[in-house]
Amino acid sequence: VLTELEKFTEAEALLNRAQANLEKAFGLYDPSVGVCLAARAKIKAKQKQFVEAEELYKTALRYVSRSTRVFGEQFGSYYLITAKADSLSVTQVQGDLAELYVSEKRYADAVTALHEAVKYVELKQGKEGPGLPRTLVTLAKVQIMLKDYAAADVSIGRAVQINQKVYGPKHPETLLSDFAKLSLLMAQEKWSEALIHGVMTSTIAVSVVHNMSPLWIPVLENMAIINEKLDNPENAERHRARIAEIKQFKIQHFTLPEK
């Protein structure tokens, strides 16, 4: 929270305290220490200290990718447990590193970082692991920036396929990955195809996602742009009005009143 409020000195003080406690409890090189390092990297990135941020992210990756060994107790005797690193922690750090590269317009480096994240999840969860789709969609977004549309189409298609198998066709995760195709079609200026895809996916989403969910906002923004490109200003305006309605709903229901 302090990082988002740009109170960086206070945020770093808390992280230093957390890191010291974790090092004392679990050792200097425990994966949990890597999570602190990644949080410190995010602070550096927000201050545009990109060199320091990159180094911290890479160090954090070395930590969170480690296996940890802890002792458990069963029937009065102790035994060694090997707990593998949490693949979600690894992919989160890889994703943050990729975001840093994108902010520096180092798109090729971002793609490399995300490919590493994909390979890591495949190693830990298999080729259809539930942790893959979101990373694949993020990868697709960077591939679109590089105008590598064929690769982006493969990444999005694979994300949708995995989500459909894991969660089913009518699930928010599946819909989020399917909506990613809108960005691809828009980048290729395939406006008619984008409109059809957006309408079809939205029709399914209506029965799954609450009509005032913030998840609708990026979809509606894209649909407004598509309708403007196809010279449908009334539809574009309708989508923008809906965005305003969702934002107002969020303010009314989820923002605490000022004292």
Side-chain angles (χ1 to χ4, degrees), residues 71-104:
F71 285 95
E73 184 179 9
Q74 188 177 45
F75 306 121
S77 61
Y78 287 93
Y79 61 100
L80 192 65
I81 304 170
T82 301
K84 295 297 181 184
D86 179 5
S87 57
L88 291 177
S89 295
V90 176
T91 54
Q92 180 63 55
V93 177
Q94 287 279 22
D96 288 343
L97 177 59
E99 186 179 319
L100 172 71
Y101 288 144
V102 168
S103 68
E104 293 186 276

Side-chain angles (χ1 to χ4, degrees), residues 210 212-213 244-254:
H210 189 278
M212 288 296 156
S213 169
E245 189 180 1
I246 292 170
K247 288 180 177 178
Q248 185 60 35
F249 177 85
K250 184 180 178 183
I251 292 169
Q252 289 175 343
H253 291 267
F254 300 105

Side-chain angles (χ1 to χ4, degrees), residues 191-205:
W191 304 113
S192 296
E193 286 184 51
L195 180 63
I196 292 168
H197 183 80
V199 170
M200 288 176 61
T201 313
S202 297
T203 302
I204 299 170

